[in-house]
Amino acid sequence: MDDDILQYIANTLSTITIASCLVLKVPQIMYVRKTKSAESLYIQAMLMEILGFTIVTLYNYTNRYNIMTYLEYPIILVQAYVLLYYVMKYQYVLGCPMVPFATFAYFITVLGFGTGFMPKYLLSYMVPFCTPLSGFAKVTYIYGIVKCGNANGVSLTTWIISVATNMSRLFTVYVDSADLKLMINFTISTLLSSGVLLTALIYQLKCSSNDRKTCTCKKYK
């Protein structure tokens, strides 16, 4: 296929991916806010996810890759920050003394890499760890659903978008840079996001076949 056509398709998919990610975590945020409950959502998984998104964003930025191939990451990060805040709020851990210290350390590190104060080659060593980070995060999401015994607090829309955007990114990264590290990351992320989606769907269907009022998280019984 002609390179110009491939690039056009990649740019179109990038635009669709970025547009989809504008609302990726919004359904989940709205649910948590509405119910004032963060059942089946694990803070550890969210922290791993945020760390992975941050590393990939900085890696792409410092390597001056086409912004259209990774713009969804900073967009998702902003939503992830908001979701983490509400999850921590409703799990009553915002008052932990480590929270402000960890937040400050995180943003200082991001600023260091973004401004070039910290050497960007370190990110090349960190990027391969994004794959296991993403994997552990999604496995933790699955574990949370299974342990909780229901997936009422999980937004299927969020994970459908996640699967679709990861698949599209495989193609756009291949066309733009063919960066093997990023392609491996997106492949594994697609598979694991599909696993979370399937697990959540199974438990929501199981719950809908019973009395939904009895489908409360086992952790809170």
Side-chain angles (χ1 to χ4, degrees):
M1 189 179 290
D2 186 83
D3 288 345
D4 290 338
I5 296 176
L6 282 174
Q7 191 62 57
Y8 175 78
I9 294 172
N11 289 340
T12 301
L13 283 175
S14 291
T15 302
I16 294 172
T17 298
I18 292 167
S20 300
C21 288
L22 287 171
V23 295
L24 177 64
K25 293 187 179 294
V26 172
Q28 191 72 72
I29 293 169
M30 296 303 294
Y31 179 87
V32 172
R33 286 191 61 190
K34 181 181 178 180
T35 62
K36 292 182 170 54
S37 171
E39 65 176 30
S40 74
L41 296 177
Y42 276 61
I43 293 175
Q44 299 95 318
M46 299 182 66
L47 292 175
M48 287 188 284
E49 193 174 52
I50 287 173
L51 182 57
F53 286 155
T54 302
I55 292 172
V56 174
T57 298
L58 290 170
Y59 176 78
N60 280 277
Y61 174 76
T62 56
N63 280 286
R64 300 296 186 264
Y65 288 156
N66 185 346
I67 192 171
M68 289 296 288
T69 65
Y70 70 92
L71 183 57
E72 74 272 14
Y73 280 102
I75 291 173
I76 295 172
L77 270 173
V78 173
Q79 297 174 57
Y81 297 150
V82 175
L83 180 58
L84 178 63
Y85 167 79
Y86 282 110
V87 170
M88 292 177 70
K89 177 180 179 180
Y90 295 122
Q91 290 191 9
Y92 309 105
V93 295
L94 274 181
C96 177
M98 283 296 296
V99 171
F101 173 77
T103 302
F104 177 77
Y106 168 82
F107 282 108
I108 285 295
T109 303
V110 170
L111 186 62
F113 280 115
T115 58
F117 180 77
M118 298 182 70
K120 72 175 186 178
Y121 72 82
L122 292 176
L123 294 169
S124 297
Y125 296 110
M126 294 180 189
V127 164
F129 291 101
C130 290
T131 301
L133 269 176
S134 176
F136 284 132
K138 290 179 174 65
V139 168
T140 304
Y141 278 123
I142 295 172
Y143 172 76
I145 293 171
V146 174
K147 183 179 180 180
C148 190
N150 78 77
N152 293 341
V154 178
S155 168
L156 295 181
T157 302
T158 291
W159 289 102
I160 289 171
I161 296 174
S162 177
V163 172
T165 54
N166 276 295
M167 290 178 66
S168 70
R169 274 304 173 217
L170 269 173
F171 179 79
T172 60
V173 168
Y174 171 74
V175 172
D176 185 71
S177 65
D179 190 306
L180 186 60
K181 296 186 185 76
L182 295 177
M183 292 185 68
I184 291 174
N185 180 59
F186 282 121
T187 300
I188 296 175
S189 186
T190 299
L191 294 174
L192 290 173
S193 290
S194 300
V196 177
L197 175 62
L198 181 61
T199 304
L201 181 60
I202 290 172
Y203 274 86
Q204 287 193 11
L205 288 174
K206 179 181 177 182
C207 189
S208 64
S209 65
N210 300 317
D211 183 359
R212 292 190 66 88
K213 292 182 179 179
T214 64
C215 293
T216 56
C217 184
K218 294 174 183 176
K219 293 188 298 179
Y220 299 100
K221 287 184 178 181

